[in-house]
Amino acid sequence: MTARPNFFIVGAPKCGTTAWAEYLRTHPQIGFARQKEPHYFNTDFPDFRWARSQADYLSFFEGCEGKTAIGEASVMYLYSSEAAANIARFDPGAKILIFLRDPVRFLPSYHNQLLLNLDEDIRDFGQAWALSGERAKALPSTCRDAKFLDYPAAARFAQQIQRYRAHFPDAQIKILRMEEWKPNPRAAYLDVLEFLGLPDDGRVDFPVIHKAKHHSSGAVAKLIQRPPGWALRVAAAVRRVLGLKRLGLSKLLRRMNTGTGYAKRDEENAELQDEIRAALAEDQALLQQIFKERSHG
């Protein structure tokens, strides 16, 4: 029988989702998609999906047969306006894991990731924030979706969570905030295992995963990640001549062109932080109301 996922880490990006996927995938009763972040269910982001058919999607779970919990982590499912409904149609009994972070910390990190992915080309976060909502008029040529660059919308977590609450009961949704789980990941891990109906496997090591990175050269990154037609043709010709399936050159170049840390770490800008808080105040108030409702549910 084909293995089917029954729990989903849906985001938000840069809130510990990659770390939690790594922590959970080693549990003996958990199976995880072999393809990192399939993004199958965010049909409103057509250029950010790595599986186009259900058959292709389910092929990512080959080898997971017999596992109690089978999952995947696709960080744009939370921001997507269609993923919650799509997942509910696929499995109305699915369990949903949502990871959040203070928007003031989330947004610069999210911006840095967009730079790394070549969806963003403005290196200064303050400038990118100020242009939110206007970018559709002049998108970077390598940006896969204008909505990625709408920074206030990306951080309206309460609005995004409500889409999942419309399709799943609260008992099937678990929300963890980075500021709360990071000081004691072991306790959070046990909490997540209980949510998934799994026993403790004794894990006590919770290393930092997926440190911030940046490109040393934007031009090299663009050549590797969005290669022009001529580069693809040259690579194909070289492979034919050498009789190779792949050269491995892009992977080597990517590693050489990637440094750790932020491309440009903004100074603590109290004025910008206050502006972000003001812009998201209504959504953050709704988020607090959601937590209150869930605690009394």
Side-chain angles (χ1 to χ4, degrees), residues 112-151:
N112 190 75
Q113 187 63 41
L114 292 181
L115 285 171
L116 193 68
N117 293 348
L118 302 183
D119 291 301
E120 176 63 278
D121 63 355
I122 296 176
R123 296 177 71 81
D124 180 78
F125 169 62
Q127 183 184 355
W129 165 264
L131 291 173
S132 293
E134 302 177 16
R135 302 295 294 282
K137 303 171 186 176
L139 281 179
S141 61
T142 50
C143 180
R144 288 168 288 190
D145 198 294
K147 292 190 286 293
F148 291 176
L149 305 183
D150 187 342
Y151 292 95

Side-chain angles (χ1 to χ4, degrees), residues 8-19:
F8 300 84
I9 298 177
V10 301
K14 311 311 298 177
C15 293
T17 53
T18 298

Side-chain angles (χ1 to χ4, degrees), residues 14 79 95 127 133 164 207 227:
K14 311 311 298 177
Y79 187 20
K95 293 187 176 181
Q127 183 184 355
Y164 281 87

Side-chain angles (χ1 to χ4, degrees), residues 72 94 97 135:
E72 62 120 317
L97 279 165
R135 302 295 294 282

Side-chain angles (χ1 to χ4, degrees), residues 149-286:
L149 305 183
D150 187 342
Y151 292 95
R156 290 194 184 104
F157 296 143
Q159 184 182 98
Q160 296 162 18
I161 289 169
Q162 291 292 60
R163 286 196 282 266
Y164 281 87
R165 296 183 83 202
H167 293 283
F168 298 93
D170 281 348
Q172 289 175 220
I173 302 172
K174 186 158 195 64
I175 305 170
L176 294 94
R177 290 182 280 195
M178 180 180 282
E179 294 80 10
E180 295 173 352
W181 68 257
K182 203 168 184 180
N184 192 348
R186 166 69 178 165
Y189 182 70
L190 293 176
D191 196 23
V192 170
L193 291 183
E194 182 179 5
F195 172 68
L196 296 176
L198 299 173
D200 179 17
D201 64 341
R203 184 183 186 113
V204 294
D205 184 28
F206 300 91
V208 174
I209 305 289
H210 209 185
K211 291 182 179 179
K213 299 176 182 178
H214 69 273
H215 294 304
S216 301
S217 167
V220 172
K222 188 173 180 180
L223 180 63
I224 299 167
Q225 295 174 227
R226 307 285 197 280
W230 65 263
L232 294 174
R233 290 191 293 272
V234 168
V238 172
R239 287 198 304 271
R240 283 196 300 272
V241 170
L242 298 177
L244 300 174
K245 289 185 177 181
R246 56 172 56 91
L247 293 174
L249 183 60
S250 62
K251 188 174 182 179
L252 174 62
L253 288 174
R254 187 189 294 249
R255 188 164 57 246
M256 292 173 62
N257 193 47
T258 301
T260 57
Y262 288 82
K264 181 187 178 198
R265 186 57 166 171
D266 293 323
E267 296 294 327
E268 291 294 327
N269 185 329
E271 185 177 346
L272 178 57
Q273 291 182 359
D274 288 345
E275 187 177 328
I276 291 170
R277 290 192 180 97
L280 297 171
E282 185 176 341
D283 189 78
Q284 285 291 296
L286 176 57

Side-chain angles (χ1 to χ4, degrees), residues 64-89:
C64 294
E65 296 82 1
K67 300 291 187 180
T68 304
I70 300 172
E72 62 120 317
S74 294
V75 297
M76 298 309 286
Y77 284 169
L78 187 61
Y79 187 20
S80 166
S81 61
E82 298 177 3
N86 289 337
I87 293 171
R89 279 191 291 270

Side-chain angles (χ1 to χ4, degrees), residues 23-140:
Y23 300 158
L24 292 170
R25 74 168 62 248
T26 60
H27 190 286
Q29 294 184 31
I30 293 179
F32 238 90
R34 67 170 184 265
Q35 169 74 37
K36 186 176 182 289
E37 299 185 304
H39 282 106
Y40 171 61
F41 293 105
N42 49 233
T43 47
D44 50 333
F45 300 144
D47 293 329
F48 204 74
R49 298 175 72 214
W50 316 132
R52 300 287 178 158
S53 71
Q54 184 165 299
D56 286 343
Y57 176 65
L58 292 178
S59 73
F60 296 164
F61 300 94
E62 291 174 358
C64 294
E65 296 82 1
K67 300 291 187 180
T68 304
I70 300 172
E72 62 120 317
S74 294
V75 297
M76 298 309 286
Y77 284 169
L78 187 61
Y79 187 20
S80 166
S81 61
E82 298 177 3
N86 289 337
I87 293 171
R89 279 191 291 270
F90 176 81
D91 182 359
K95 293 187 176 181
I96 307 297
L97 279 165
I98 297 172
F99 292 89
L100 304 180
R101 188 179 185 183
D102 180 350
V104 167
R105 302 298 176 192
F106 159 71
L107 284 168
S109 186
Y110 173 66
H111 166 259
N112 190 75
Q113 187 63 41
L114 292 181
L115 285 171
L116 193 68
N117 293 348
L118 302 183
D119 291 301
E120 176 63 278
D121 63 355
I122 296 176
R123 296 177 71 81
D124 180 78
F125 169 62
Q127 183 184 355
W129 165 264
L131 291 173
S132 293
E134 302 177 16
R135 302 295 294 282
K137 303 171 186 176
L139 281 179

